[in-house]
Amino acid sequence: MNVFDRMVAVISPQTGLKRASARKQLQVLNQGYGNHGASTKKKSLLGWLAGSGSALEDIEYNVDKLRGRSRDLYMGVPLATGALKTMRTNVIGSGLKLNAQIDYEYLNLTTDQADLWETQVEREFSLWAESLHCDAQRMNNFYELQQLAFLSWLASGDVFALLPVIPRVGMPYDLRVKLIEADRICTPNKQLLNLDHKIVNGVEVSPLGEISAYHIAKNHPHSLSVQNNEWSRIPKFGAKTGRPNIIHLMESERPEQRRGVPILAPVMESLKQLSRYTEAELMAAVISGMYTVFVTTETNQKGDEFGSGIADQDLIDEEDDTSLELGNGSVHFLGENEKIQESNPGRPNVAFDGFVTSICRQIGAALEIPYELLLKNFTSSYSASRGALLEAWKMFRMRRDWMANDFCQPIYEEFLAEGIAKGRIYAPGFFTDPLARKAYSNAEWNGPSQGQLDPLKEVNAAEKRVNNGFTTRTRETIELTSGDFFKNHALRVREEKARREGGLTTEGTSINLDKSSEKGSKDEKEEVEE
């Protein structure tokens, strides 16, 4: 206690006690994080006023504006467009394909019986998935719907899918997929002034905190339609069957979050500013390239006006009298007392590429896309480029698993239930035993392969993994080429038989497929050379 505090304590002991207590509390506040990130004394942190609210204030009240800006970036900023399409192409590609993997041990089936059942189900699923009838709008097949849903998920923050039952001629399956854009899931007008937060951004929550229903607007809330909007309440699950009525694709950032955030949200400002900077540099380079000659005269001869030497079809805005335009290699005569001040814009800017690359590194870090992949610029060594791809594929596989678990698998299970109910697929116990239902529904969803920077090194590594039992031929075939090992094997058998019958191989000579061509026999090498 200092001298002043002692004087206060003599006059008013209670006030002195409060001052001493407050001083002690300040000492406690300045311990631990109070001396670092939460410091209120450091000059570098005094101006950092960061508020913290619930997911409702921090996210739900801002998603509409974030959604609009994200779409604007996608439509007008090449770097944003490339980032989203890079994710779409690597995660989904031509579509995640079904690979049924039933639990044959629980179902008391042999491996041969399991293979037959899986082959039949995959054939039935292809009948439905490869047809436009699987789409409620009859515009896309199931694999194209995956691309559309994933891209919309990235750009808008979330996307929804209804699973209506619509019979159609020529299609034995009635299950349909109807994608709903994020904007149409919104709070009805009559509920906007309700402050109990039971319905937020179209998502209804029960008293227990679980999501119970979604409210879907008949018309897009931002469309120019003059019709009065109406809303439909869709329960998330059926009351009697527990069937999912609607699928909600989103990435959660915080507990109690109801709507998703566009993936570009953390880098929106950087992307927009970088776009403006790029446009400014491009315009400066164009103006610098339009070298113009000015001629001064001492007479009263009236000089040519700006733009007079430009063809009418090249004018940008001929109706605006205040605009000045430059033409390639134009010559202008200046009148009396008119001068021209030369300027050197210094374009192209030599520092442009380095600055943009630096910003792209930060954007790529936030999006989990290495800048080499973001810019499609692989100029580093093999090891560095491979390391960048491996990091990117950690993210791609994670999002592929999310897409498979939240979109493909629920739809497949509904398809399977319909096929079994209609007798097209035989699966005893599916509707009575939950474990049997789970055993029949097990599946993998395979997407595009990672690709190889050096195919020879990748194949040699795959061969060693197989020979040492670290993986299987089926898995390596999928990873390297997105192919099917068993189909490849059956085709190879037919090919080798045709080669022997055609006299291209020595009778009785078999090729050891486990050996590389470098380790093959002399006869095999000569055969390849022929």
Side-chain angles (χ1 to χ4, degrees), residues 84-134:
L84 298 191
K85 288 190 173 181
T86 294
M87 291 188 190
R88 187 275 313 270
T89 301
N90 286 276
V91 174
I92 305 299
S94 58
L96 304 184
K97 302 299 192 301
L98 171 67
N99 181 19
Q101 296 287 328
I102 65 173
D103 186 354
Y104 63 89
E105 293 180 346
Y106 178 81
L107 299 172
N108 294 323
L109 299 177
T110 65
T111 55
D112 291 338
Q113 291 173 329
D115 287 339
L116 290 175
W117 191 92
E118 291 167 356
T119 301
Q120 178 195 359
V121 170
E122 290 171 1
R123 186 178 294 113
E124 290 285 323
F125 186 76
S126 296
L127 172 66
W128 176 82
E130 295 177 0
S131 170
L132 296 180
H133 291 297
C134 72

Side-chain angles (χ1 to χ4, degrees), residues 414-516:
E414 288 304 307
F415 163 84
L416 199 59
E418 182 182 357
I420 295 171
K422 290 185 174 181
R424 296 186 64 88
I425 301 173
Y426 180 70
F430 183 86
F431 293 107
T432 57
D433 184 0
L435 281 177
R437 187 186 186 103
K438 177 70 168 56
Y440 282 116
S441 302
N442 284 343
E444 292 180 351
W445 295 90
N446 300 321
S449 62
Q450 178 175 335
Q452 304 93 37
L453 294 173
D454 190 329
L456 181 59
K457 291 182 179 179
E458 302 288 348
V459 170
N460 289 337
E463 180 184 10
K464 290 184 178 180
R465 287 195 294 266
V466 171
N467 292 338
N468 287 281
F470 301 145
T471 184
T472 64
R473 289 180 170 84
T474 301
R475 170 62 63 183
E476 292 300 331
T477 303
I478 294 172
E479 293 290 336
L480 290 175
T481 63
S482 299
D484 187 321
F485 170 78
F486 291 101
K487 290 182 179 179
N488 292 346
H489 176 73
L491 183 59
R492 285 293 310 275
V493 170
R494 299 201 326 250
E495 287 178 346
E496 295 305 322
K497 180 179 178 181
R499 285 169 60 83
R500 288 195 299 270
E501 292 176 353
L504 297 179
T505 60
T506 304
E507 186 66 27
T509 300
S510 61
I511 298 178
N512 186 353
L513 297 181
D514 291 336
K515 303 294 183 180
S516 65

Side-chain angles (χ1 to χ4, degrees), residues 9-160:
V10 171
I11 300 174
S12 176
Q14 186 177 4
T15 304
L17 181 62
K18 290 182 179 180
R19 290 177 58 86
S21 176
R23 193 177 301 279
K24 187 64 178 178
Q25 290 178 4
L26 285 175
Q27 293 177 357
V28 173
L29 289 175
N30 289 326
Q31 293 177 356
Y33 281 114
N35 283 325
H36 303 285
S39 174
T40 58
K41 291 186 175 182
K42 291 185 177 181
K43 293 183 179 180
S44 59
L45 300 177
L46 285 178
W48 189 354
L49 303 177
S52 179
S54 67
L56 184 67
E57 290 83 13
D58 290 352
I59 297 178
E60 307 294 350
Y61 291 162
N62 298 309
V63 291
D64 191 58
K65 184 176 294 184
L66 290 174
R67 198 180 295 138
R69 290 177 176 177
S70 175
R71 291 172 183 164
D72 183 69
L73 289 174
Y74 175 78
M75 291 184 288
V77 179
L79 191 62
T81 308
L84 298 191
K85 288 190 173 181
T86 294
M87 291 188 190
R88 187 275 313 270
T89 301
N90 286 276
V91 174
I92 305 299
S94 58
L96 304 184
K97 302 299 192 301
L98 171 67
N99 181 19
Q101 296 287 328
I102 65 173
D103 186 354
Y104 63 89
E105 293 180 346
Y106 178 81
L107 299 172
N108 294 323
L109 299 177
T110 65
T111 55
D112 291 338
Q113 291 173 329
D115 287 339
L116 290 175
W117 191 92
E118 291 167 356
T119 301
Q120 178 195 359
V121 170
E122 290 171 1
R123 186 178 294 113
E124 290 285 323
F125 186 76
S126 296
L127 172 66
W128 176 82
E130 295 177 0
S131 170
L132 296 180
H133 291 297
C134 72
D135 183 7
Q137 295 181 333
R138 290 185 178 180
M139 294 186 64
N140 301 286
N141 61 29
F142 181 62
Y143 307 109
E144 293 165 345
L145 285 175
Q146 293 177 27
Q147 300 178 31
L148 179 59
F150 186 76
L151 192 58
S152 181
W153 171 18
L154 296 178
S156 301
D158 50 12
V159 68
F160 300 81

Side-chain angles (χ1 to χ4, degrees), residues 5 283 290 356 395 406 433 477:
D5 288 339
M283 180 57 66
M290 292 181 176
V356 171
M395 181 269 292
D406 296 347
D433 184 0
T477 303

